[in-house]
Amino acid sequence: QRIRVGVIFGGKSGEHEVSILSGQSILKALDPEKYIAVPIGITRRGEWVVGAEAAQVLQEAAQIQLGGPPEPSSIDAGADRDAAVGQPGAGPHAVPASQPGETALTLVPPALVESFDVVIPVLHGPNGEDGTIQGMLELFDIPYVGAGVLASAVGMDKVFMKKLFASAGLPQAAYTFYTRKTWESDPEAVLADVEAKLGYPCFVKPANMGSSVGISKAKNRTGLTAAFKLAAKYDRKIIVEEGLNVREVEVAVLGNDEPKASVPGEIVPSNEFYDYNAKYVTGDSALIIPAPLPPDVTEEVRRLAVEAYRAVDCTGLARMDFFVERETDRVLVNEINTMPGFTRFSMYPKLWEATGVSYAELIDQLIQLAIERHRETR
Ligand code: ATP
Ligand code: MG
Ligand code: MG
Ligand code: MG
Protein backbone atom coordinates (compact mmCIF):
# COMPACT_ATOMS: atom_id res chain seq x y z
CA GLN A 1 0.00 0.00 0.00
CA ARG A 2 1.41 3.36 -1.06
CA ILE A 3 1.79 6.16 1.47
CA ARG A 4 -0.26 9.29 0.73
CA VAL A 5 2.01 12.31 1.16
CA GLY A 6 0.82 15.93 1.11
CA VAL A 7 3.60 18.35 0.25
CA ILE A 8 2.80 21.92 1.38
CA PHE A 9 4.89 24.68 -0.20
CA GLY A 10 4.85 28.42 -0.91
CA GLY A 11 3.36 30.36 1.95
CA LYS A 12 2.99 33.96 3.02
CA SER A 13 6.46 34.47 4.43
CA GLY A 14 9.39 36.27 2.83
CA GLU A 15 10.74 32.85 1.86
CA HIS A 16 7.85 31.95 -0.49
CA GLU A 17 10.04 31.42 -3.57
CA VAL A 18 12.65 29.32 -1.82
CA SER A 19 9.87 27.13 -0.44
CA ILE A 20 8.42 26.52 -3.92
CA LEU A 21 11.82 25.40 -5.18
CA SER A 22 12.22 23.05 -2.19
CA GLY A 23 8.69 21.66 -2.65
CA GLN A 24 9.26 21.04 -6.32
CA SER A 25 12.47 19.08 -5.64
CA ILE A 26 10.76 16.93 -3.00
CA LEU A 27 7.74 16.19 -5.22
CA LYS A 28 10.05 15.07 -8.02
CA ALA A 29 12.04 12.82 -5.69
CA LEU A 30 9.09 10.97 -4.09
CA ASP A 31 9.19 7.47 -5.57
CA PRO A 32 5.76 6.82 -7.20
CA GLU A 33 6.05 3.11 -6.35
CA LYS A 34 6.06 3.99 -2.66
CA TYR A 35 4.17 7.26 -2.44
CA ILE A 36 1.11 9.04 -3.75
CA ALA A 37 2.33 12.64 -3.68
CA VAL A 38 -0.17 15.49 -3.58
CA PRO A 39 1.06 19.08 -4.04
CA ILE A 40 -0.61 21.67 -1.80
CA GLY A 41 0.30 25.27 -2.58
CA ILE A 42 -0.08 28.30 -0.37
CA THR A 43 -0.16 31.51 -2.38
CA ARG A 44 1.57 34.71 -1.34
CA ARG A 45 -1.80 35.92 -0.05
CA GLY A 46 -2.20 32.83 2.10
CA GLU A 47 -4.76 30.92 0.03
CA TRP A 48 -4.48 27.14 0.07
CA VAL A 49 -4.73 25.58 -3.37
CA VAL A 50 -4.68 22.02 -4.69
CA GLY A 51 -4.96 20.39 -8.12
CA ALA A 52 -4.43 22.60 -11.15
CA GLU A 53 -4.00 25.71 -9.04
CA ALA A 54 -1.28 24.06 -6.97
CA ALA A 55 0.46 23.09 -10.19
CA GLN A 56 0.24 26.72 -11.19
CA VAL A 57 1.93 27.89 -7.99
CA LEU A 58 4.61 25.25 -8.60
CA GLN A 59 5.12 26.57 -12.10
CA GLU A 60 6.12 29.90 -10.63
CA ALA A 61 9.32 28.04 -9.87
CA ALA A 62 10.25 28.08 -13.54
CA GLN A 63 10.02 31.86 -13.56
CA ILE A 64 11.56 32.46 -10.19
CA GLN A 65 14.37 34.88 -10.40
CA LEU A 66 15.15 35.95 -6.92
CA GLY A 67 15.62 39.70 -6.98
CA GLY A 68 16.42 41.57 -3.80
CA PRO A 69 15.07 40.52 -0.43
CA PRO A 70 11.28 40.67 -0.11
CA GLU A 71 9.66 43.92 0.94
CA PRO A 72 8.10 43.81 4.39
CA SER A 73 4.72 44.70 2.88
CA SER A 74 4.65 41.43 0.93
CA ILE A 75 5.29 39.26 3.94
CA ASP A 76 3.28 38.32 6.94
CA ALA A 77 4.89 40.34 9.66
CA GLY A 78 4.24 43.38 11.79
CA ALA A 79 1.46 45.63 10.66
CA ASP A 80 0.44 43.22 7.91
CA ARG A 81 -0.21 40.50 10.44
CA ASP A 82 -2.07 42.84 12.77
CA ALA A 83 -4.32 43.91 9.92
CA ALA A 84 -5.38 40.32 9.24
CA VAL A 85 -6.50 39.65 12.81
CA GLY A 86 -10.23 39.75 13.29
CA GLN A 87 -10.95 40.27 9.62
CA PRO A 88 -13.52 38.10 7.97
CA GLY A 89 -11.59 35.42 6.18
CA ALA A 90 -8.95 34.89 8.85
CA GLY A 91 -8.57 31.39 10.27
CA PRO A 92 -8.22 27.99 8.68
CA HIS A 93 -11.93 27.30 8.18
CA ALA A 94 -12.96 30.73 7.12
CA VAL A 95 -14.93 31.67 4.07
CA PRO A 96 -12.82 33.35 1.40
CA ALA A 97 -12.91 37.11 1.57
CA SER A 98 -15.06 38.57 -1.16
CA GLN A 99 -13.39 41.94 -1.60
CA PRO A 100 -10.47 41.83 -3.99
CA GLY A 101 -7.15 42.76 -2.45
CA GLU A 102 -8.22 41.70 1.01
CA THR A 103 -5.87 39.42 2.94
CA ALA A 104 -7.53 36.05 3.41
CA LEU A 105 -6.89 32.45 4.23
CA THR A 106 -9.19 30.35 2.11
CA LEU A 107 -10.93 27.16 3.09
CA VAL A 108 -8.70 24.32 4.23
CA PRO A 109 -11.16 21.48 4.71
CA PRO A 110 -9.89 19.19 7.48
CA ALA A 111 -11.03 16.42 5.14
CA LEU A 112 -8.29 17.44 2.72
CA VAL A 113 -5.51 17.39 5.27
CA GLU A 114 -6.93 14.31 6.98
CA SER A 115 -6.74 12.28 3.82
CA PHE A 116 -2.94 12.10 4.08
CA ASP A 117 -0.82 9.52 5.86
CA VAL A 118 1.85 12.17 6.32
CA VAL A 119 2.36 15.81 5.42
CA ILE A 120 5.64 17.50 4.50
CA PRO A 121 5.32 21.21 5.31
CA VAL A 122 8.26 22.56 3.30
CA LEU A 123 7.62 26.11 4.44
CA HIS A 124 10.30 28.50 5.62
CA GLY A 125 9.97 31.45 7.95
CA PRO A 126 6.97 32.78 9.92
CA ASN A 127 3.67 30.86 9.49
CA GLY A 128 5.43 27.73 8.30
CA GLU A 129 8.63 27.02 10.17
CA ASP A 130 7.43 28.55 13.44
CA GLY A 131 4.99 26.00 14.87
CA THR A 132 1.79 27.48 13.47
CA ILE A 133 1.20 24.97 10.68
CA GLN A 134 2.63 22.25 12.95
CA GLY A 135 -0.10 23.14 15.48
CA MET A 136 -2.78 22.82 12.82
CA LEU A 137 -1.48 19.39 11.82
CA GLU A 138 -1.42 18.32 15.49
CA LEU A 139 -5.09 19.34 15.78
CA PHE A 140 -5.95 17.21 12.76
CA ASP A 141 -3.83 14.36 14.17
CA ILE A 142 -1.72 14.02 11.01
CA PRO A 143 1.94 12.94 11.12
CA TYR A 144 4.19 15.64 9.66
CA VAL A 145 7.85 15.91 8.78
CA GLY A 146 10.06 18.03 10.98
CA ALA A 147 10.07 19.64 14.39
CA GLY A 148 7.00 19.83 16.61
CA VAL A 149 5.22 22.98 17.76
CA LEU A 150 7.59 23.92 20.57
CA ALA A 151 10.89 23.33 18.77
CA SER A 152 9.57 25.07 15.65
CA ALA A 153 8.46 28.14 17.61
CA VAL A 154 11.65 28.34 19.63
CA GLY A 155 13.79 27.80 16.54
CA MET A 156 12.08 30.71 14.79
CA ASP A 157 12.51 33.14 17.69
CA LYS A 158 16.21 33.96 17.94
CA VAL A 159 15.83 35.40 21.45
CA PHE A 160 14.24 32.31 23.00
CA MET A 161 16.50 30.05 20.96
CA LYS A 162 19.52 31.78 22.50
CA LYS A 163 18.05 31.58 26.00
CA LEU A 164 17.70 27.81 25.65
CA PHE A 165 21.16 27.45 24.12
CA ALA A 166 22.58 29.45 27.05
CA SER A 167 20.82 27.28 29.61
CA ALA A 168 22.33 24.20 27.93
CA GLY A 169 25.76 25.81 28.36
CA LEU A 170 26.36 26.23 24.62
CA PRO A 171 28.86 28.88 23.47
CA GLN A 172 27.37 31.75 21.45
CA ALA A 173 27.80 35.42 20.56
CA ALA A 174 26.89 38.10 23.12
CA TYR A 175 23.47 39.60 22.36
CA THR A 176 20.72 41.87 23.56
CA PHE A 177 17.19 42.56 22.32
CA TYR A 178 14.49 45.25 22.19
CA THR A 179 10.88 45.54 21.19
CA ARG A 180 9.93 47.79 18.29
CA LYS A 181 8.07 49.96 20.80
CA THR A 182 11.18 50.50 22.92
CA TRP A 183 13.15 51.40 19.81
CA GLU A 184 10.54 53.82 18.50
CA SER A 185 9.88 55.52 21.81
CA ASP A 186 13.56 56.30 22.54
CA PRO A 187 15.98 55.49 19.71
CA GLU A 188 18.86 57.40 21.32
CA ALA A 189 18.66 55.34 24.50
CA VAL A 190 18.57 52.09 22.51
CA LEU A 191 21.59 53.11 20.40
CA ALA A 192 23.55 54.06 23.52
CA ASP A 193 22.59 50.77 25.18
CA VAL A 194 23.83 48.72 22.20
CA GLU A 195 27.07 50.71 22.11
CA ALA A 196 27.63 50.15 25.83
CA LYS A 197 26.81 46.43 25.73
CA LEU A 198 28.17 45.28 22.36
CA GLY A 199 29.93 48.05 20.43
CA TYR A 200 30.75 47.78 16.71
CA PRO A 201 30.52 45.94 14.48
CA CYS A 202 27.22 44.34 15.48
CA PHE A 203 24.47 42.46 13.67
CA VAL A 204 20.87 43.64 13.90
CA LYS A 205 18.15 41.09 13.10
CA PRO A 206 14.38 40.75 13.21
CA ALA A 207 13.95 38.08 15.92
CA ASN A 208 11.66 35.92 13.76
CA MET A 209 12.82 35.57 10.18
CA GLY A 210 15.16 33.65 7.93
CA SER A 211 17.18 33.90 4.70
CA SER A 212 18.95 36.95 6.22
CA VAL A 213 15.85 39.04 5.46
CA GLY A 214 16.00 42.28 7.45
CA ILE A 215 19.54 41.63 8.80
CA SER A 216 22.28 44.28 8.71
CA LYS A 217 25.84 44.60 9.89
CA ALA A 218 26.28 47.95 11.66
CA LYS A 219 29.71 49.56 11.88
CA ASN A 220 28.78 52.89 13.42
CA ARG A 221 25.83 54.84 14.82
CA THR A 222 24.48 55.82 11.41
CA GLY A 223 24.56 52.20 10.29
CA LEU A 224 22.99 51.05 13.54
CA THR A 225 20.10 53.50 13.16
CA ALA A 226 19.43 52.29 9.62
CA ALA A 227 19.71 48.67 10.77
CA PHE A 228 17.09 49.15 13.50
CA LYS A 229 14.72 50.88 11.09
CA LEU A 230 15.01 47.97 8.66
CA ALA A 231 14.63 45.19 11.24
CA ALA A 232 11.65 46.96 12.84
CA LYS A 233 9.79 46.67 9.53
CA TYR A 234 9.85 42.88 9.78
CA ASP A 235 9.26 42.12 13.44
CA ARG A 236 8.15 43.59 16.74
CA LYS A 237 11.24 42.15 18.38
CA ILE A 238 14.79 43.02 17.34
CA ILE A 239 17.92 41.17 18.39
CA VAL A 240 21.44 42.62 18.25
CA GLU A 241 24.58 40.46 18.40
CA GLU A 242 28.27 41.26 18.69
CA GLY A 243 29.83 41.07 15.23
CA LEU A 244 32.30 38.19 15.06
CA ASN A 245 35.25 37.65 12.73
CA VAL A 246 34.44 34.10 11.77
CA ARG A 247 34.20 31.31 9.24
CA GLU A 248 30.69 29.93 8.74
CA VAL A 249 30.02 26.23 9.13
CA GLU A 250 26.76 24.28 8.93
CA VAL A 251 25.81 20.77 10.04
CA ALA A 252 22.72 18.74 9.04
CA VAL A 253 21.03 16.87 11.90
CA LEU A 254 18.50 14.07 11.37
CA GLY A 255 16.53 12.04 13.91
CA ASN A 256 14.14 12.04 16.86
CA ASP A 257 15.48 10.50 20.07
CA GLU A 258 18.87 9.64 18.61
CA PRO A 259 19.77 12.52 16.32
CA LYS A 260 22.73 12.07 13.98
CA ALA A 261 25.02 14.82 12.66
CA SER A 262 26.33 15.00 9.09
CA VAL A 263 29.80 16.09 8.12
CA PRO A 264 30.07 19.90 8.41
CA GLY A 265 30.07 22.17 5.37
CA GLU A 266 31.62 25.61 5.09
CA ILE A 267 30.07 28.65 3.44
CA VAL A 268 32.22 31.28 1.86
CA PRO A 269 29.83 34.16 1.25
CA SER A 270 30.24 36.30 -1.87
CA ASN A 271 29.37 39.43 0.15
CA GLU A 272 30.73 40.90 3.37
CA PHE A 273 28.37 38.55 5.20
CA TYR A 274 25.96 35.82 4.09
CA ASP A 275 23.09 38.19 3.29
CA TYR A 276 20.02 37.57 1.12
CA ASN A 277 21.84 38.45 -2.09
CA ALA A 278 24.80 36.22 -1.30
CA LYS A 279 22.38 33.37 -0.54
CA TYR A 280 20.07 33.52 -3.52
CA VAL A 281 20.79 36.27 -6.00
CA THR A 282 24.43 36.39 -7.03
CA GLY A 283 24.81 32.61 -6.79
CA ASP A 284 28.56 32.78 -6.30
CA SER A 285 28.81 32.02 -2.57
CA ALA A 286 30.77 28.79 -2.25
CA LEU A 287 29.68 25.70 -0.32
CA ILE A 288 32.66 23.55 0.64
CA ILE A 289 31.77 20.01 1.73
CA PRO A 290 33.24 18.71 3.93
CA ALA A 291 34.42 21.88 5.65
CA PRO A 292 38.23 22.06 5.70
CA LEU A 293 38.58 22.17 9.49
CA PRO A 294 41.07 20.50 11.83
CA PRO A 295 39.68 17.10 12.95
CA ASP A 296 39.09 18.22 16.55
CA VAL A 297 37.14 21.28 15.38
CA THR A 298 35.05 19.08 13.07
CA GLU A 299 34.23 16.80 16.00
CA GLU A 300 33.41 19.78 18.22
CA VAL A 301 31.01 21.22 15.64
CA ARG A 302 29.23 17.87 15.18
CA ARG A 303 28.93 17.36 18.94
CA LEU A 304 27.56 20.88 19.48
CA ALA A 305 25.13 20.37 16.58
CA VAL A 306 23.48 17.45 18.37
CA GLU A 307 23.54 19.26 21.75
CA ALA A 308 21.94 22.39 20.32
CA TYR A 309 19.33 20.26 18.52
CA ARG A 310 18.48 18.58 21.81
CA ALA A 311 18.50 21.90 23.70
CA VAL A 312 15.36 22.99 21.81
CA ASP A 313 13.84 19.47 21.78
CA CYS A 314 14.03 19.27 18.00
CA THR A 315 12.82 16.22 16.05
CA GLY A 316 12.92 15.25 12.39
CA LEU A 317 15.58 17.50 10.96
CA ALA A 318 17.40 20.79 11.32
CA ARG A 319 20.31 22.61 9.81
CA MET A 320 22.56 23.91 12.57
CA ASP A 321 24.56 27.07 11.74
CA PHE A 322 27.89 27.70 13.46
CA PHE A 323 30.66 30.26 13.59
CA VAL A 324 34.32 29.27 13.91
CA GLU A 325 36.49 32.16 15.13
CA ARG A 326 39.34 32.86 12.73
CA GLU A 327 42.11 33.38 15.24
CA THR A 328 41.26 30.75 17.80
CA ASP A 329 39.08 28.12 16.02
CA ARG A 330 36.63 28.58 18.89
CA VAL A 331 33.22 27.19 17.87
CA LEU A 332 30.06 29.22 18.56
CA VAL A 333 26.47 28.19 17.87
CA ASN A 334 24.68 30.67 15.60
CA GLU A 335 21.21 29.23 15.09
CA ILE A 336 18.92 26.33 14.27
CA ASN A 337 16.79 26.15 11.11
CA THR A 338 14.04 23.60 11.64
CA MET A 339 12.92 23.56 7.98
CA PRO A 340 16.03 24.35 5.97
CA GLY A 341 16.13 24.89 2.22
CA PHE A 342 15.53 21.52 0.57
CA THR A 343 16.34 21.82 -3.11
CA ARG A 344 18.89 19.36 -4.47
CA PHE A 345 21.44 22.17 -4.31
CA SER A 346 20.65 23.20 -0.75
CA MET A 347 23.19 22.70 2.02
CA TYR A 348 21.01 20.30 4.07
CA PRO A 349 20.59 17.53 1.47
CA LYS A 350 24.11 18.07 0.15
CA LEU A 351 25.58 17.52 3.61
CA TRP A 352 23.70 14.22 3.92
CA GLU A 353 24.75 13.17 0.46
CA ALA A 354 28.39 13.72 1.46
CA THR A 355 27.70 11.68 4.60
CA GLY A 356 26.25 8.78 2.58
CA VAL A 357 22.50 9.44 2.55
CA SER A 358 21.01 10.18 -0.88
CA TYR A 359 18.26 12.77 -1.45
CA ALA A 360 15.56 10.10 -1.93
CA GLU A 361 16.74 8.09 1.08
CA LEU A 362 16.68 11.25 3.16
CA ILE A 363 13.04 11.85 2.31
CA ASP A 364 12.21 8.19 3.14
CA GLN A 365 13.87 8.59 6.54
CA LEU A 366 12.11 11.88 7.25
CA ILE A 367 8.73 10.32 6.50
CA GLN A 368 9.50 7.36 8.78
CA LEU A 369 10.62 9.74 11.55
CA ALA A 370 7.37 11.69 11.19
CA ILE A 371 5.27 8.55 11.50
CA GLU A 372 7.30 7.30 14.50
CA ARG A 373 7.02 10.61 16.31
CA HIS A 374 3.27 10.73 15.73
CA ARG A 375 2.91 7.20 17.10
CA GLU A 376 4.94 8.05 20.20
CA THR A 377 3.21 11.31 21.06
CA ARG A 378 -0.41 10.27 20.82
P1 ATP B 1 19.01 31.43 7.53
O1 ATP B 1 18.78 31.69 6.08
O2 ATP B 1 20.21 30.56 7.75
O3 ATP B 1 17.79 31.02 8.27
P2 ATP B 1 18.86 33.83 9.20
O4 ATP B 1 18.03 34.83 8.50
O5 ATP B 1 18.22 33.06 10.29
O6 ATP B 1 19.51 32.86 8.13
P3 ATP B 1 21.45 34.25 10.57
O7 ATP B 1 21.94 32.90 10.20
O8 ATP B 1 21.26 34.53 12.01
O9 ATP B 1 20.12 34.64 9.76
O10 ATP B 1 22.46 35.36 10.00
C1 ATP B 1 22.66 35.49 8.62
C2 ATP B 1 24.12 35.73 8.31
O11 ATP B 1 24.58 36.95 8.92
C3 ATP B 1 25.06 34.68 8.84
O12 ATP B 1 25.11 33.56 8.00
C4 ATP B 1 26.37 35.46 8.90
O13 ATP B 1 26.93 35.64 7.61
C5 ATP B 1 25.92 36.82 9.37
N1 ATP B 1 25.94 36.93 10.85
C6 ATP B 1 24.86 36.80 11.65
N2 ATP B 1 25.17 37.00 12.95
C7 ATP B 1 26.49 37.26 12.98
C8 ATP B 1 27.42 37.58 14.04
N3 ATP B 1 27.02 37.67 15.30
N4 ATP B 1 28.71 37.80 13.68
C9 ATP B 1 29.12 37.70 12.39
N5 ATP B 1 28.30 37.42 11.35
C10 ATP B 1 26.99 37.21 11.63
MG1 MG C 1 17.79 31.02 10.32
MG1 MG D 1 16.14 29.77 7.93
MG1 MG E 1 21.58 31.12 9.25
Side-chain angles (χ1 to χ4, degrees), residues 201-316:
C202 59
F203 279 79
V204 182
K205 315 177 179 184
N208 295 271
M209 198 45 70
S211 290
S212 300
V213 172
I215 297 183
S216 320
K217 178 177 182 176
K219 296 176 185 171
N220 50 42
R221 192 168 259 231
T222 313
L224 188 59
T225 307
F228 263 98
K229 283 184 183 162
L230 178 70
K233 287 184 186 168
Y234 292 94
D235 201 347
R236 56 171 280 280
K237 202 157 72 186
I238 299 154
I239 182 166
V240 189
E241 297 174 20
E242 65 173 317
L244 302 161
N245 180 16
V246 286
R247 295 166 68 184
E248 295 195 51
V249 173
E250 301 184 344
V251 177
V253 176
L254 176 68
N256 293 344
D257 293 325
E258 281 157 25
K260 301 275 182 289
S262 73
V263 299
E266 178 166 5
I267 285 157
V268 183
S270 57
N271 285 348
E272 189 178 344
F273 73 97
Y274 201 30
D275 63 6
Y276 188 92
N277 287 326
K279 276 178 191 173
Y280 304 116
V281 183
T282 58
D284 51 8
S285 295
L287 307 186
I288 307 169
I289 303 171
L293 296 167
D296 57 326
V297 179
T298 295
E299 275 326 296
E300 173 77 347
V301 170
R302 296 180 74 175
R303 182 182 68 78
L304 288 175
V306 171
E307 276 192 33
Y309 188 88
R310 287 203 154 116
V312 301
D313 197 17
C314 197
T315 49

Side-chain angles (χ1 to χ4, degrees), residues 15 129 209-211 319 335 337:
E15 296 175 271
E129 197 177 348
M209 198 45 70
S211 290
R319 197 193 73 226
E335 61 147 354
N337 288 285

